[in-house]
Amino acid sequence: MRHYLHHLLTALLLCTFSSCMEWDYVDRESFEAPAHGLFITNEGNFQYGNATLSFYDPATKQVENEVFIRANGYRLGDIAQSMTLHNGLGWVVVNNSHVLFAIDPTTFREVGRIVNLTSPRYIHFISDEKAYVTQLWDNRIFIINPSTYKITGHITCPEMTMESGSTEQMVQIGDFLYVNCWSYQNRVLKIDTRTDRVVDQLTVGIQPTSIVADRNNKLWVITDGGYEGSPYGHEAPALVKIDAANFCIEQVFTFTKGDRCSEVQISSDGSRLYWINESIWSMSVDATSLPTTPLIEARNTIYYGLTIDPECGELYVADAIDYQQQGIIYRYSSQGELIDSFYAGIIPGAFCWK
Amino acid sequence: MKRIVLLLFTLWLVLPTHAQEERVDHKVSIREVEILGQRPMKEIGVQRTRFDSVVMKENIALSMADVLAFNSSIFVKSYGRASQSTVAFRGTSASHTQVLWNGMKINSPMLGMTDFSMIPSYFIDDASLLHGTSSVAETGGGLGGAVRLESRPANANGFGLQYIQGIGSFSTYDQFLRLTYGDAHWQLSTRVVYSLSENDFEYRNRDKTVNVYDELMNIVDQYYPIERNQNGAFHDFHLLQEAYYNTGRGDRLGLNVWYLASNREMPWITSNYADQTDFDHRMREQTLRSVLSWDRYRGATKWMAKAGYIHTWMAYDQRQDLRPSESTTTTPTTDWADGTMVRSRNRVHTLYGKLGSEWTPSNRWFISADVALHQHMAESRDKTIMTVQVDPTTGKQRAVVGYDESRMELSAATTARWRPIEHFGMGITLREELYGDRWSPLIPALFLDGILSKRGNIGAKASLSRNFRFPTLNDLYFKPGGNPNLKHESGWNYDLGMSFSTGKSGLFTLNGSATWFESWVDDWIIWIPRVQGYYTPMNIKQVHAYGMELDASLEWQPARDLKARLHGTYSWTPSINEGEPFTAGDRSMGKQLPYVPEHSATCTAHLTWRSWSLLYKWCYYSERYTLTSNASTLTGHLPAYYMSDVTLEKGFRLGWADLNLKGSIRNLFDEEYISVLARPMPGINYEFFISITPKWGKKRN
C-alpha cells in the first residue's frame, strides 16, 4: 500500500510544482516628448481600469501609446475623461478612479495627484492656487489647490441632487466661469470665480454636451437632445449661441430630431466652430444658419472625439470603432483632406494640445 | 511553498502508518463500467457532462461557479470572490448558457445570464451540462448549451440532521444545516446556508502606487501597496425547503422552494483612489424560486406537470458619505442618505408552467413532448432624475429612468428516439418558441449514437441543430439604449464525439471522450456605447466557434480500502469574429472573441483511504484577450493562469454521531492572478469545516 501511495503522491507533487504563473511587470521607460504634440486620453472600458494616455507628434507622425503606464509603471485607471495643461503640468482627470494625476508633459512621469473626488470630469484653472473640477453623480463642483494637491472646498450647484448631478466643461470670460450641465440636465451655470458661487443659470436645451467661447465673447453650446423615451424629454439637438455679457440666448440653430450631435470645438483664433453630427461640420461664428454640407463626411466611421490643432488648424477626429479595441485617430487638413491616421487606445475621447 | 511541500510529504509518510491504526470500516468501491448499449433512450446522441456527488459535496462552501471551474471544460468568468460569476460554453457568451433549476429556467429575463456565485453547491444534488445541440431537448436559447441543476429527495428514514460549520480566511464563516425526515411516502428536507465574510484579502496592487512626498510636495518615492480587497464584505443567506410525496402507486409530488437574501458590497477595482470610508457600493438581492411538480408513471407512459414562481428584487446602490471631513473647508451638512449617486431597483415576477409526457412503447422507441411557459413581469427603476413631473405621494419633483414590461415566453418541443438495433440509435427534437409576439423559426435537432466496438465500449455520437436566442428585456427596453428593433440571434451547431469505457470489475474503470464541435452564430447582440454617453445593443457580430473537448477519468482500486480517481478535461475553443467591419478602422475580423480562452484544462485527483480523503484540484486558462482586435497591450492583457486547491478530509463514526473534519487550501501556490481586468483575486487561503450528523433513533454502529 505504501508503494501505491508513493506513486500517487509523487505524481501529485510533480503536477503541482509545474503550476506557477508568469506575471507581467512593467519596466519604467524614459520619454522626452517634443514641445508640440497632442495628448489623447483614451477612456477605456468602464470598470476595467484600462484607460490610457497617448502622445502624438504631428511633426514626425509618430504616436506613443500607453505612455502613462510605460513611464510610471502603473495604470492610469478607469475612464480617462480629459486632460488640461497648466503651468507646465498636465492634469489628467480619471473619472471612475476618483483621481487627478499631475504629470510632467515631457517625461509623462507623475508629479502629484489629488484623490477622493466623486466622479471627476474636467478641470479648469482659475489661478495657480485654485482650480475647479466638475463631476458626474454629484451636485458639487470641487475646488482644489493644485500646488498642494488638496481639495479645498466645493460649489453647490442649484436644482441638482447627487443622483442627477452633472457638470461638464468650463470656459471662463473675465471673472465668470460658464459650465454646461449635461446628464439629465439642460442648463449652463454662471459662477463668480471670486466668490465661488453660482450667480446665474440659463436653460439651453436638453443635455448640453460641450461649451466653447468665441472671439466675440459669445458662448456656444451643443445639446444632444436626450433620447427617445427619456422621462427628461427628447427633442431636436441644437447649437446654442449665448451672449455671455447678458447671459441670454442669442440664437438657436436647431438640428433634426434624432441627430447625434456632440463635441463643439473652436479654432484657436475663436473664429470657426466645429462639431460632430455623424460627419464633421464647421461654420463661422458669425454665420446665421447651419451649413448644408459637412467639412468631413462620415465614411464608414463613427466619430467620437474632435480637436483642432491650435497652430495650424488641422483636425483630429477619433473613431472609437466598437469601443473594445484601440480606436483610430484621423488627421485632416483644415480643408478636410486626410493627412494621417493612427491607432491610440480604447475609446479615444478627449485631446489636449501641448 | 515550503509549508505546503512539508504538509504533503508529511501526509505521504504518515498516512500509511495511520492506515494501520484505523479500525473504522469505510467501504470504498468503484463504479461499474458503463455499457453504451444500455444507456437510456433519452440519452441517444446527447453530449452531457454529469457531476457526481463527490464533486458536488467536496467543499460545500463553494458556489456552483467554483464547482464548474474545476470540473468541466466550460469557461467561468469571475469578477472576484463572492462577485458575479458567469459561465459560457464553447466560445459563446454567458447569455447563451441556459440554466434550469428543477426544470425551471432561472436565467435573468432582464440580463439573460445567471450569476453562479449565487448558487450554493450545497443545494444541488445533481448537476449536468448539456453541450450545444444537446440543450435543445431541454430548452431553447442555449446557443452554447445548458446547465441543469436538480435537487433530489434525501432518502431519509426518520429524522436526520446535519450541521456543518466552516471557518476560513478573511473572517469567513459558513454555516450549513440540513434537517430531513422520511418515511415510505414522505421525504422532507430543509437546507440552510448562511455565509458571511469580510472578504478583505490582501494582495499586492500593481495597478497603482503610493506616493511619498517631501515637505514641498515633491514625490520622493513610490511603491506598490499591499492592499486589502476593499468593500468586498458579503452576507448570503439561502433556505431550501423540499417536500416530496410518493404515493407508491406511480405518482410523485414534489415541492422545492428556494429563498435567498444576499447583501454584498461591490469590491473596488484596483485603480480606485477613493477613500473607502467615504463610499458605499452595494448589491442586494432577494429571490424566491419555487417549483411544484407532479410525475405520474403508468406503464410505458410518464406524465409530468410543473408550476413555479420566481420573484427577484435587486438593489444596486452607490453612495457617498457627505459628512464633513478635514479636507473640505466648506461644510456640507448632509448625511449618507443625501449622498446617493446611484439607486437602481429591479423587480421581476415570473410565473412558470410546464406539461410533458414521455412514452416508451417498446425498447426501440421513445417519444416525448412538452410545453413550457414563462410569464415575466419586469420593472427596472434605474435612476431618479429631476423633472417637472410631481410625485403625488411625496409632492417632490421627480421621475424615474426605467421600464415596466411583461413578456410571455412559450416553448414547445417534441422528441422521438429510435434504436432499431442494439448498436445504433437516432433521435430528433423539434422545438418552437414564442417570445411576446415573435415566433422563432422551427428549431430542429438531430442525434445519432452508435457503438463501434463492444470491446472497450467504443461509441460515437453526433448531433446537429439550429438554434435561436431572443433578446433579453434589457436588450429591448432598457432606458437609455434599449433597442426594440433587435433581431434574435440565430445559429447552427454540430458536434461529433467518440467515447470509450473499459475496466476490470473491482479494480479499475477508465472512461474517455473526445468531441469536435463547430457553431455559427449570426446577429450576435453586443452593447455599443453611443456618443450621447449611453450604451445600446445591436446585432453586430457573426461568430464562428469550433474546437475540441476532451474528457477522461480513471478510477482505480488497488486495495480494499484504497481508491484513487483522476479526472481531466481539456478544451480548445477558437471563437472567431467573422462579421463585417464595424467601421473602416476595425481590426477585429478573424480574431478571437475577448475574454474567451482558447485553451482551458482541469484536473482533479481524489484519493480515498478508509475514512481519509485527499482531493487535489487544478485548472488552467490560457491567455485571454480583452480587445476585440486581440492586440496585446500592457493594459489589456490577462496572462494565463493555473490554480490549485487541495482538501484533506477525515471521517469519524462515533456512537452518537458521525463527525467529519475537513481542511481546504485554495490557491495553493499563492498565485497572483486575475480573471477579469482590475479585479483582484485572493492568494492562498484556508477553510476548516466540522460536520456533525447525530444518530437520532438510529442504530448505532
Side-chain angles (χ1 to χ4, degrees), chain A residues 275-349:
Chain A
W275 67 92
I276 299 174
N277 181 9
E278 303 275 351
S279 299
I280 306 298
W281 301 77
S282 175
M283 75 176 196
S284 164
V285 295
D286 301 318
T288 54
S289 62
L290 290 170
T292 53
T293 55
L295 175 64
I296 302 165
E297 189 117 28
R299 290 191 186 90
N300 196 14
T301 49
I302 301 176
Y303 294 138
Y304 187 76
L306 171 66
T307 189
I308 317 298
D309 187 334
E311 291 194 352
C312 62
E314 290 175 351
L315 288 85
Y316 290 75
V317 191
D319 178 353
I321 312 177
D322 62 1
Y323 297 75
Q324 220 179 334
Q325 61 180 295
Q326 291 167 289
I328 189 167
I329 311 292
Y330 295 102
R331 175 184 175 186
Y332 293 97
S333 71
S334 55
Q335 285 74 43
E337 293 149 352
L338 185 64
I339 298 171
D340 190 19
S341 65
F342 57 92
Y343 286 92
I346 302 169
I347 315 180

Side-chain angles (χ1 to χ4, degrees), chain A residues 135-240:
Chain A
Q135 311 220 68
L136 185 65
W137 297 337
D138 199 335
N139 53 355
R140 299 167 298 170
I141 295 171
F142 275 67
I143 305 167
I144 62 163
N145 185 336
S147 61
T148 60
Y149 302 105
K150 291 280 194 288
I151 298 170
T152 58
H154 64 255
I155 302 164
T156 301
C157 301
E159 298 170 31
M160 275 185 202
T161 61
M162 286 285 286
E163 198 172 0
S164 65
S166 169
T167 49
E168 287 282 295
Q169 299 179 1
M170 295 166 276
V171 292
Q172 187 174 356
I173 299 176
D175 289 329
F176 294 100
L177 183 90
Y178 301 89
V179 187
N180 62 300
C181 308
W182 166 61
S183 178
Y184 297 106
Q185 297 291 334
N186 59 4
R187 293 170 292 159
V188 170
L189 304 181
K190 181 179 180 180
I191 295 170
D192 188 332
T193 60
R194 296 162 298 187
T195 60
D196 300 329
R197 289 183 182 279
V198 176
V199 293
D200 205 351
Q201 56 180 316
L202 182 66
T203 301
V204 293
I206 292 176
Q207 299 201 149
T209 69
S210 44
I211 186 169
V212 292
D214 69 15
R215 63 184 177 187
N216 304 317
N217 282 345
K218 307 295 182 189
L219 301 170
W220 292 84
V221 169
I222 198 161
T223 68
D224 67 24
Y227 59 88
E228 191 174 351
S230 169
Y232 199 74
H234 184 211
E235 64 184 19
L239 183 65
V240 183

Side-chain angles (χ1 to χ4, degrees), chain B residues 495-550:
Chain B
D495 49 44
L496 303 167
M498 292 190 67
S499 62
F500 72 92
S501 179
T502 187
K504 185 174 180 182
S505 182
L507 183 61
F508 78 95
T509 61
L510 178 65
N511 301 294
S513 66
T515 305
W516 169 266
F517 65 86
E518 200 161 5
S519 69
W520 293 264
V521 180
D522 288 343
D523 296 319
W524 186 301
I525 296 168
I526 57 171
W527 285 68
I528 298 288
R530 302 286 293 267
V531 291
Q532 289 96 331
Y534 59 83
Y535 284 67
T536 194
M538 298 170 75
N539 295 99
I540 296 291
K541 284 193 170 130
Q542 291 178 302
V543 174
H544 177 205
Y546 58 94
M548 180 166 280
E549 294 167 337
L550 302 176

Side-chain angles (χ1 to χ4, degrees), chain B residues 247 249-251 294-303 358-359:
Chain B
T247 62
R249 297 189 300 274
D251 290 286
W294 169 61
D295 295 308
R296 162 168 283 195
Y297 297 86
R298 287 287 185 275
T301 307
K302 176 189 173 186
W303 295 93
E358 295 175 358
W359 183 42

Side-chain angles (χ1 to χ4, degrees), chain A residues 15 43 57 87 91 95 134 146 170 213 230 247 249 348:
Chain A
C15 182
E43 294 176 15
D57 180 356
N87 208 17
W91 291 78
N95 172 257
T134 53
M170 295 166 276
S230 169
F247 201 46
I249 293 175

Side-chain angles (χ1 to χ4, degrees), chain B residues 562-588:
Chain B
L562 180 67
K563 187 176 84 168
R565 181 170 188 264
L566 283 169
H567 177 239
T569 68
Y570 167 75
S571 285
W572 173 56
T573 53
S575 188
I576 308 299
N577 173 21
E578 293 190 345
E580 296 294 315
F582 196 68
T583 70
D586 193 349
R587 297 190 289 184
S588 67

